[in-house]
Amino acid sequence: MSFEVEVSSQEEEEIRQIIAYKYLVFFDDPYYKVRNGDSLAIDYKSKSAKEAIQHAFDHLTPGRTWKETIVLKGPIFFEDTVALKDYSRLIALGLLKMADGLNKPMFDGTGVKHFEACGGDWDGNRDTMSGDSDVPNAFKFDACKNIYIHDMSFRNFYGHAIFVDMYSDCENLKFRDLDGYRCKNTVCIWGHEGAVAYKVGCKGLRGIENTQCTVAFLGVINFKILGCLGVQNGHEAIKLESMCYRGRIIGNAGYENRYAGLFTGACNHSVIKGNVFMDNKCSGIDIWGGYYTIIEGNVCQRNGYGEEFTKNGISL
């Protein structure tokens, strides 16, 4: 169904000059409207943000092998989960916020391939959430491939800002320049029943006062964690549980975290180099297991000051 052509606002025209989008979703009280980037017509409108955004994803070009772009122009308030689609790009502008008590992901990328997202100020509205703290996420993925999420700011997520909740293998996941403030983890990749993620990159991720960590992995092979930061997190700056192989943990920093700067449960065939971990209540680097791992040129100072901890620099 197509509605009448409406004249674009000046702001929308400026967006169109910068971004060649397939659809633009925006709020025009009381409706969320979907503007077609080709015809400039309003193709769809709904009082539900979920319905409007889902319409845009569902009406991308069928059978495409290239990414088409959807722009979300905030403020947008999510009252339900949107299903992502293959070969799509999401660009967010302004505020995107969970509705009170949603307790669901804002976007579900189960089985999605070739997806990219960037931009936006994402608010998880954590004080209204309850129950399973893994669930309320900005993005949740499983069985996914070729995912790239970058240049976003997340705050107040009761769950992980980005959660790769693996029951099936994933491959080629990239996360760059993401800010997390008062989230569970900024990025969490967690394997179940032997599922693993191959070829993972995290660069320039930050976690400030997160409930757990900035980066948390279980079941990740061939990965890089570069230039990430954790400050005053409830657990560590970086946590690598079991089944983490062939990693490069280089140039990261962690300050004043509740436990260690870096914890590894079983990090094998890896390099831990050039990191700075200071003033953490447990060790700077806490290694509980692993083999064939190089630890070189790290700075671990003034750690282990918590009354219940006795560790300090590097604990093996």
Side-chain angles (χ1 to χ4, degrees):
M1 181 176 183
S2 180
F3 292 86
E4 69 276 8
V5 175
E6 297 184 7
V7 178
S8 302
S9 69
Q10 180 178 348
E11 186 175 4
E12 289 175 46
E13 289 293 348
E14 291 173 354
I15 293 171
R16 182 171 172 77
Q17 289 176 13
I18 299 171
I19 305 168
Y21 59 80
K22 184 69 175 180
Y23 293 107
L24 169 68
V25 182
F26 62 99
F27 184 62
D28 185 12
D29 196 14
Y31 294 104
Y32 290 95
K33 296 182 177 181
V34 181
R35 185 180 299 283
N36 187 306
D38 297 323
S39 67
L40 299 185
I42 299 299
D43 280 1
Y44 184 83
K45 63 182 179 181
S46 171
K47 292 184 179 180
S48 162
K50 183 260 184 180
E51 294 298 330
I53 299 168
Q54 193 66 67
H55 177 91
F57 274 102
D58 290 347
H59 287 79
L60 296 174
T61 302
R64 65 195 174 281
T65 55
W66 62 92
K67 290 179 185 175
E68 291 187 333
T69 299
I70 294 172
V71 176
L72 304 183
K73 177 177 170 288
I76 292 178
F77 298 90
F78 286 74
E79 82 290 353
D80 206 347
T81 303
V82 175
L84 298 172
K85 301 295 181 180
D86 295 350
Y87 288 101
S88 60
R89 178 185 295 108
L90 176 68
I91 299 178
L93 306 172
L95 175 66
L96 299 97
K97 186 173 182 177
M98 278 192 181
D100 289 355
L102 176 59
N103 291 319
K104 295 180 181 179
M106 299 164 83
F107 288 95
D108 188 330
T110 299
V112 164
K113 300 175 178 62
H114 302 283
F115 172 74
E116 178 182 352
C118 66
D121 181 9
W122 300 73
D123 190 335
N125 197 9
R126 63 177 291 167
D127 293 337
T128 71
M129 306 297 163
S130 62
D132 185 354
S133 63
D134 281 335
V135 174
N137 324 113
F139 296 90
K140 181 176 179 290
F141 296 96
D142 187 17
C144 57
K145 186 176 182 179
N146 297 326
I147 306 298
Y148 181 33
I149 299 182
H150 59 100
D151 298 288
M152 287 182 164
S153 177
F154 304 98
R155 68 175 187 268
N156 299 325
F157 276 86
Y158 184 64
H160 319 284
I162 299 173
F163 188 23
V164 184
D165 189 22
M166 294 185 298
Y167 289 86
S168 298
D169 292 351
C170 300
E171 184 178 354
N172 195 21
L173 315 179
K174 297 180 182 179
F175 307 100
R176 179 177 61 79
D177 293 327
L178 305 176
D179 288 331
Y181 172 67
R182 297 184 72 233
C183 304
K184 187 170 184 179
N185 294 285
T186 305
V187 171
C188 179
I189 303 177
W190 214 251
H192 307 274
E193 302 171 1
V196 297
Y198 300 92
K199 299 180 183 178
V200 174
C202 292
K203 184 176 182 180
L205 275 55
R206 291 164 287 276
I208 311 296
E209 298 182 22
N210 281 353
T211 308
Q212 291 189 355
C213 310
T214 301
V215 179
F217 286 173
L218 187 155
V220 181
I221 299 175
N222 285 340
F223 65 92
K224 295 179 181 179
I225 302 175
L226 309 175
C228 296
L229 173 68
V231 179
Q232 297 182 352
N233 288 334
H235 287 189
E236 297 86 10
I238 300 169
K239 173 180 283 187
L240 307 175
E241 281 283 356
S242 60
M243 294 178 62
C244 292
Y245 304 143
R246 296 193 292 276
R248 299 291 181 268
I249 305 98
I250 299 174
N252 305 285
Y255 304 97
E256 300 181 11
N257 296 288
R258 174 69 174 78
Y259 299 141
L262 166 66
F263 170 84
T264 70
C267 183
N268 306 318
H269 295 278
S270 297
V271 175
I272 301 171
K273 182 176 181 179
N275 303 283
V276 178
F277 300 117
M278 300 175 64
D279 298 315
N280 300 287
K281 287 189 176 181
C282 193
S283 303
I285 299 175
D286 196 359
I287 298 178
W288 281 35
Y291 50 85
Y292 300 115
T293 289
I294 297 171
I295 305 171
E296 178 183 359
N298 301 283
V299 176
C300 298
Q301 296 180 347
R302 299 194 304 271
N303 299 290
Y305 68 87
E307 292 182 2
E308 68 269 49
F309 302 115
T310 58
K311 301 175 183 179
N312 42 47
I314 299 176
S315 175
L316 300 174

